[in-house]
Amino acid sequence: MFSSFHLKMAIGALSYSPVFCASLGALHCRAFAGSVALVRRLAASNNVYRRRDKNLGRCSWGSSHSRFSCCNSRTDVSAPVSSPSANGYPEYTRLLPCPLQNGPPRIEHLVVSEGGPVLEYISKALDLPPLFVADLIHFGAVYYALVCPEPPPNAMPEQIRVYKEVTAPSVLKNRLSIKGKTIREAQKTFRITHINEFVEAGTYLRVHVHPKRFPRCYEIDWRSRIIAVTESYVVLDKPAGTSVGGTSDNIEESCVTFATRALGLTIPLKTTHQIDNCTEGCVVLARTKEYCSIFHGKIREKKVKKLYLALAAAPVPVGTITHHMRPINIAPRLISKDFIKGWHLCKLEVLECKEVPWPNSNIEKEYCIDDCGWPQKDVAYECKINLLTGRTHQVRAQLAACGAPIVGDSMYMPAALAEMTNPGLNPFGEYGMKYTNDDNRTKAIEEWIVHHGKEPRIAIGLQACQISWDEGEHFYEAGSPWWR
């Protein structure tokens, strides 16, 4: 039996104390022995949880600006932590009600030291209440792989040593579960779907302890958002601040889940296409796997037409707007007015643009609209847009590049403001410099990305107002957008 291994990724503050806020992006490793049931107690001196079990050490490293020495500190799982129950775990009232705000992410990486039920193993390894772990599995926040993936480039020597130990050929050859598979195949991750699923020694586990939450799911009258129901599909007027099909760590709080329940369906609806969490409007959800494939085919064959309403902070010229998008699947999406080899074509057609009142303060507050310091808030400009190509963030990035960012778009509006104030900051903009070498261009791109903000909390001024396919045989419209 090889030693157990725990690689702990603390992205953000593991507790809400300022001490841990300094450890953004840090990785932690911890060895543990036997079954452990710990009681957490808040240390009055620095608001950090302290671990009393001397067998559990923790070593960590942070950025070049802050490095933490090995210590026996413990962070909270879900505040508040109450007194321990009879089984040694803190009492727990489950993941509901949903928190009003998302906390900092926390991801734990484990290699199973002794086979057994996954819920029991995670509860003991991470000192988490079993009901909490059960809910994480229900949310789709727990993954496994037969073989541990390679540690990151900045892994500590101890992490690399343990990885080599658990993936040594002499160890792997004795595991019947991976016979006939390549290492790459065995390292592929899958969701854990049942609390009693057996995990053998050597199995890798990834636990999203703090999944991204969508509190708006519980505020919506979902039945009223259903536009149409047929034998093959459902058309939903998706609310802003929700995810169509869920995220990597939360498939429970999604449109497909809540729409399925609202309609009383026994077979879950299926996602056929996506729109951003902060965007509202028409979404087609398939009722069968067969129609899901059929609709995907219609999208590929460009038989699906989508119209959007965009509330821009400045006027947008009527006509076709063309850009090219960098082929990197990371936000913010960078686009260029000029052709760049390998970049994706982005085309949209502005059908009309009319002046409308800027949303009043009450509406801005209700939908958490951030004006990002936009200088003129007397009027906004409602644009009807025919989306000719379907790229992620396309409408948002293209309008921002035109100096007319979408109202409330806290990711792209700050960059548009920066370019307006200091023309030339955008290396791909009208006033961008011509770079003689790749190093200068790379630096300029990095500096440009810094001028972008974070994803909006709830809504932006963007609605998928119409969707149709098969030459208009199927045609559906969303209700009035939130800003009207």
Side-chain angles (χ1 to χ4, degrees), residues 64-302:
S64 59
H65 302 290
S66 62
R67 184 175 294 271
F68 294 91
S69 60
C70 293
C71 62
N72 288 332
S73 63
R74 183 71 183 173
T75 57
D76 89 3
V77 174
S78 56
V81 176
S82 59
S83 59
S85 59
N87 62 8
Y89 294 108
E91 293 180 357
Y92 174 60
T93 57
R94 306 181 78 91
L95 287 178
L96 299 177
C98 182
L100 295 179
Q101 304 223 354
N102 279 291
R106 174 184 167 191
I107 303 175
E108 304 278 1
H109 302 263
L110 306 170
V111 172
V112 177
S113 60
E114 183 177 352
V118 65
L119 184 146
E120 179 181 340
Y121 190 86
I122 293 174
S123 296
K124 291 179 179 180
L126 301 180
D127 186 29
L128 297 175
L131 285 177
F132 187 95
V133 178
D135 280 351
L136 290 178
I137 292 172
H138 176 69
F139 269 52
V142 180
Y143 292 78
Y144 81 95
L146 294 175
V147 175
C148 181
E150 291 186 25
N154 58 342
M156 296 177 66
E158 173 64 14
Q159 294 171 312
I160 296 174
R161 183 194 68 78
V162 175
Y163 166 77
K164 290 181 178 179
E165 181 180 339
V166 300
T167 58
S170 59
V171 173
L172 296 181
K173 72 178 183 180
N174 294 323
R175 295 183 58 189
L176 296 177
S177 61
I178 64 174
K179 283 194 173 181
K181 295 182 174 67
T182 65
I183 294 297
R184 183 181 295 272
E185 289 172 340
Q187 289 176 333
K188 186 176 181 180
T189 56
F190 301 90
R191 271 195 173 98
I192 295 285
T193 58
H194 198 279
I195 60 174
N196 293 322
E197 191 163 334
F198 182 89
V199 287
E200 66 176 0
T203 300
Y204 162 79
L205 296 173
R206 186 176 80 241
V207 185
H208 297 257
V209 182
H210 294 163
K212 181 176 175 59
R213 306 302 299 275
F214 295 91
R216 286 213 77 211
C217 285
Y218 305 95
E219 304 169 2
I220 302 299
D221 176 5
W222 287 91
R223 193 64 185 85
S224 70
R225 307 290 299 203
I226 304 297
I227 298 173
V229 180
T230 73
E231 292 183 357
S232 302
Y233 61 85
V234 170
V235 182
L236 174 72
D237 188 352
K238 174 194 172 298
T242 62
S243 171
V244 176
T247 59
S248 62
D249 54 8
N250 186 346
I251 57 175
E252 164 67 17
E253 295 168 342
S254 66
C255 292
V256 292
T257 298
F258 280 78
T260 297
R261 291 174 183 165
L263 292 171
L265 301 177
T266 57
I267 300 176
L269 294 167
K270 297 163 183 61
T271 304
T272 64
H273 63 109
Q274 294 281 352
I275 59 176
D276 293 343
N277 296 345
C278 54
T279 303
E280 65 179 21
C282 297
V283 172
V284 177
L285 306 174
R287 297 187 64 174
T288 65
K289 289 182 179 179
E290 292 75 17
Y291 194 78
C292 193
S293 298
I294 290 172
F295 198 83
H296 285 161
K298 294 180 185 298
I299 292 176
R300 287 193 302 270
E301 296 166 8
K302 301 188 184 301

Side-chain angles (χ1 to χ4, degrees), residues 11 16-17 51 76 79 101 200 236 243 286 326 335 350 355 467 477:
I11 309 175
Y16 292 94
S17 67
R51 179 169 52 214
D76 89 3
Q101 304 223 354
E200 66 176 0
L236 174 72
S243 171
R326 186 174 68 155
I335 62 174
V350 180
E355 190 177 290
I467 189 166
E477 291 185 298

